[in-house]
């Protein structure tokens, strides 16, 4: 059984990464953990001014996260009929890297599959800030970053990104 983490922000690129992972592991028994994170920015808290408004802001973000995950799970239930695949949705009030680190500690995740651009992705940027943060900060777990508009058919090439700051073993 392979455990796969798919972070999502519900963008088209995140959906594409999910579809690619489903195709890549079509004939493998897997549990897919679909993760959405949300956090209130300092600017939003400053605008809320009092604790009641800040609490309402957190509640709204939590409800939006749960609703988005519910839509993903409904779609998968209706359109993805593979008895080898199980799906678990997770909503976390945390920044993405923190939530992923926590999940890696709790679950035996073997690979993280995510899009290269999020919902706010600018076309001129190769990788979004969240993808770059995950690649830089997550160690000892494989990360597959799926390019925008990539239509997975079969795996032919993988890129091994490195800044050459450490030695890599052959198995890596």
């Amino acid at each position: 059984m392979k455990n796969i983490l798919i972070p999502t922000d519900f963008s088209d690129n995140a959906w594409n990464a999910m579809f690619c992972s489903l195709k890549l592991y079509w004939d493998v028994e897997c549990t897919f953990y679909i993760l959405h994170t949300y956090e209130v920015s300092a600017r939003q808290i400053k605008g809320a001014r009092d604790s009641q408004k800040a609490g309402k802001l957190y509640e709204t973000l939590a409800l939006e996260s749960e609703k988005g995950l519910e839509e993903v799970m409904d779609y998968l239930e209706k359109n993805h009929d593979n008895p080898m695949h199980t799906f678990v949705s997770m909503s976390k009030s945390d920044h993405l890297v923190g939530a992923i680190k926590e999940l890696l500690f709790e679950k035996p995740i073997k690979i993280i599959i995510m899009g290269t651009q999020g919902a706010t992705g600018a076309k001129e940027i190769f990788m979004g800030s969240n993808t770059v943060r995950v690649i830089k900060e997550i160690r000892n777990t494989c990360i597959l970053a799926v390019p925008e508009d990539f239509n997975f058919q079969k795996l032919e090439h993988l890129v091994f990104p490195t800044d050459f700051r450490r030695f890599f073993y052959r198995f890596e």
Side-chain angles (χ1 to χ4, degrees), residues 2-8 14 17-18 20-22 24-25 31-35 37 96-105 107-116 130-147 158-159 161:
K2 191 171 274 290
N3 293 299
I4 300 168
L5 176 61
I6 304 175
T8 185
M18 186 177 346
C20 287
S21 66
L22 298 176
L24 180 62
Y25 292 101
T31 297
F32 293 92
Y33 293 92
I34 313 297
L35 171 68
T37 61
L96 181 60
V97 171
I100 289 175
K101 285 181 177 180
E102 182 181 326
L103 280 173
L104 292 175
F105 184 75
K107 310 267 187 230
I109 304 291
K110 294 296 179 196
I111 187 168
I112 300 166
I113 301 177
M114 62 190 302
T116 54
N130 281 327
T131 306
V132 171
R133 273 190 221 109
V134 169
I135 289 170
K136 282 184 173 181
E137 295 187 39
I138 300 300
R139 301 283 181 237
N140 302 318
T141 303
C142 295
I143 300 167
L144 179 61
V146 179
L158 284 176
V159 175

Side-chain angles (χ1 to χ4, degrees), residues 70-135:
E70 196 173 295
E71 289 173 8
V72 170
M73 297 302 279
D74 285 346
Y75 177 87
L76 291 170
E77 185 179 313
K78 291 174 186 168
N79 298 293
H80 184 71
D81 186 27
N82 187 337
M84 297 184 73
H85 293 171
T86 304
F87 300 96
V88 177
S89 66
M90 307 176 99
S91 176
K92 298 246 182 213
S93 174
D94 197 353
H95 59 91
L96 181 60
V97 171
I100 289 175
K101 285 181 177 180
E102 182 181 326
L103 280 173
L104 292 175
F105 184 75
E106 295 172 1
K107 310 267 187 230
I109 304 291
K110 294 296 179 196
I111 187 168
I112 300 166
I113 301 177
M114 62 190 302
T116 54
Q117 291 288 328
T120 59
K123 297 291 182 203
E124 64 275 0
I125 297 174
F126 173 62
M127 275 201 237
S129 57
N130 281 327
T131 306
V132 171
R133 273 190 221 109
V134 169
I135 289 170

